[in-house]
Amino acid sequence: MASVGECPAPVPVKDKKLLEVKLGELPSWILMRDFSPSGIFGAFQRGYYRYYNKYINVKKGSISGITMVLACYVLFSYSFSYKHLNTYHLAFLTSEHERLRKYH
Amino acid sequence: MNENLFASFIAPTILGLPAAVLIILLPPLLIPTSKYLINNRLITTQQWLIKLTSKQMMTMHNTKGRTWSLMLVSLIIFIATTNLLGLLPYSFTPTTQLSMNLAMAIPLWAGAVIMGFRSKIKNALAHFLPQGTPTPLIPMLVIIETISLLIQPMALAVRLTANITAGHLLMHLIGSATLAMSTINLPSTPIIFTILILLTILEIAVALIQAYVFTLLVSLYLHDNT
């Protein structure tokens, strides 16, 4: 019986999943992905349903299914305002963010 | 100091493109739909809440007013989720922007008024003069009632904007005051308590949505179906 890693006919690079692509084939794999608007939308839809079916659409879903989304939202907003939190205004008005960063 | 305080209300941009559109599109992702009768816990709780609020809101309308129920229920859900998401740290609340609230208030109010004028024009015009006014006062009162009608969409938009913005500003101020106090004078921990209390009171931002939709409802009802 053939082991898991072998397959009789070679699979084209385009159809492989990300973890099965060898490192040398990575640029050609990226270029062959579908970057049209409908392709990007399809990717978002697949990602959404993957998360949804794993954490929320289960028999005893817990609150962590949605708090993970909210935590990601907070981190995303933080990264957005990172640049502004680091602007330097006046000597006695340095933002708390700057002070915490300096002394840690 | 001024720029620091109002910085969280700047609409976020990615290379000049408004990222606020993406943030406005976030609440629908948190409210899934389903074609089954028995769903997972998230959908069940959301459907229960929606049933509760929609029943509460729509009982006082007649058949014609209830055709607006989809619009009003989605309005209250949108404003509620947007305001509650804005309570998270570092997040951007689109309802703090007056432009968005005006865009919500003016079409809805105009639709209600025009609907009232189209169907029952005598009833709609009769709103401009309360019953039992002394005759010499009539011209002035008509003017006053017209102004109070025309100012309704402005009041709706500005009310929502001002309440949410003021709440966020207060939280910023008290938060930075607490941090400053902790280095100067530690036993003044009651200030931290005021933050907690203010935060819970700010979750009466949800009550603000009730206020928004409710006033909208009242206006719709009076204009249409009296």
Side-chain angles (χ1 to χ4, degrees):
Chain A
M1 194 150 161
S3 65
V4 178
E6 293 178 15
C7 58
V11 182
V13 172
K14 183 163 76 87
D15 294 331
K16 288 193 202 172
K17 292 191 195 177
L18 179 58
L19 291 172
E20 291 169 14
V21 170
K22 299 196 186 357
L23 207 58
E25 292 171 351
L26 196 59
S28 59
W29 183 85
I30 290 180
L31 287 173
M32 282 190 211
R33 297 297 289 177
D34 183 13
F35 283 118
S36 66
S38 70
I40 292 184
F41 182 69
F44 274 117
Q45 220 177 13
R46 269 176 288 145
Y48 175 78
Y49 279 114
R50 209 169 123 192
Y51 183 85
Y52 179 69
N53 288 327
K54 183 167 183 199
Y55 288 108
I56 302 183
N57 203 10
V58 290
K59 200 163 195 178
K60 287 195 169 190
S62 69
I63 204 172
S64 68
I66 201 165
T67 47
M68 274 199 279
V69 178
L70 296 179
C72 277
Y73 176 57
V74 170
L75 290 173
F76 174 72
S77 318
Y78 174 68
S79 66
F80 242 51
S81 52
Y82 180 76
K83 187 174 168 210
H84 188 88
L85 286 168
N86 280 349
T87 353
Y88 178 77
H89 291 287
L90 293 170
F92 64 97
L93 283 180
T94 46
S95 67
E96 194 55 39
H97 187 243
E98 256 179 68
R99 260 184 279 148
L100 285 174
R101 273 187 73 229
K102 246 191 341 180
Y103 293 118
H104 277 204
Chain B
M1 176 76 169
N2 290 333
E3 198 207 292
N4 222 351
L5 199 55
F6 287 100
S8 60
F9 298 120
I10 301 176
T13 58
I14 307 178
L15 309 169
L17 293 172
V21 179
L22 293 172
I23 297 183
I24 293 178
L25 291 178
L26 178 68
L29 292 177
L30 301 171
I31 304 174
T33 57
S34 160
K35 57 187 182 192
Y36 302 113
L37 187 61
I38 302 179
N39 304 309
N40 52 34
R41 287 180 176 178
L42 183 69
I43 294 184
T44 313
T45 40
Q46 283 171 353
Q47 281 180 349
W48 172 76
L49 277 170
I50 291 173
K51 212 175 190 183
L52 194 71
T53 47
S54 64
K55 265 194 183 165
Q56 184 72 15
M57 276 202 312
M58 289 297 153
T59 42
M60 70 168 175
H61 290 141
N62 59 9
T63 311
K64 193 155 178 240
R66 283 186 191 160
T67 54
W68 278 53
S69 54
L70 178 64
M71 180 76 229
L72 293 172
V73 169
S74 52
L75 185 70
I76 187 173
I77 288 172
F78 173 67
I79 301 183
T81 41
T82 313
N83 290 345
L84 286 177
L85 280 176
L87 289 175
L88 295 170
Y90 298 117
S91 55
F92 169 70
T93 323
T95 41
T96 53
Q97 312 296 316
L98 184 64
S99 50
M100 186 179 116
N101 295 337
L102 276 175
M104 284 197 295
I106 292 184
L108 288 168
W109 167 85
V113 168
I114 291 177
M115 201 153 108
F117 270 103
R118 277 180 65 187
S119 54
K120 298 180 193 170
I121 190 164
K122 225 190 277 186
N123 279 14
L125 283 174
H127 282 308
F128 287 133
L129 193 62
Q131 266 184 342
T133 58
T135 323
L137 277 175
I138 287 183
M140 200 178 64
L141 211 57
V142 169
I143 294 178
I144 290 179
E145 291 284 329
T146 314
I147 294 178
S148 84
L149 176 75
L150 292 176
I151 214 169
Q152 273 179 351
M154 291 299 177
L156 276 172
V158 173
R159 180 188 306 129
L160 186 61
T161 312
N163 274 300
I164 307 281
T165 314
H168 284 322
L169 268 178
L170 265 177
M171 282 210 292
H172 275 284
L173 278 173
I174 294 191
S176 50
T178 316
L179 284 174
M181 271 303 197
S182 65
T183 57
I184 296 173
N185 178 19
L186 189 56
S188 53
T189 47
I191 298 188
I192 303 182
F193 264 44
T194 38
I195 287 194
L196 281 175
I197 294 175
L198 203 68
L199 201 65
T200 32
I201 294 179
L202 202 68
E203 292 181 38
I204 308 181
V206 183
L208 195 73
I209 304 96
Q210 282 249 341
Y212 186 95
V213 184
F214 203 75
T215 46
L216 191 65
L217 278 181
V218 170
S219 147
L220 166 72
Y221 182 71
L222 285 174
H223 278 274
D224 250 11
N225 313 317
T226 314

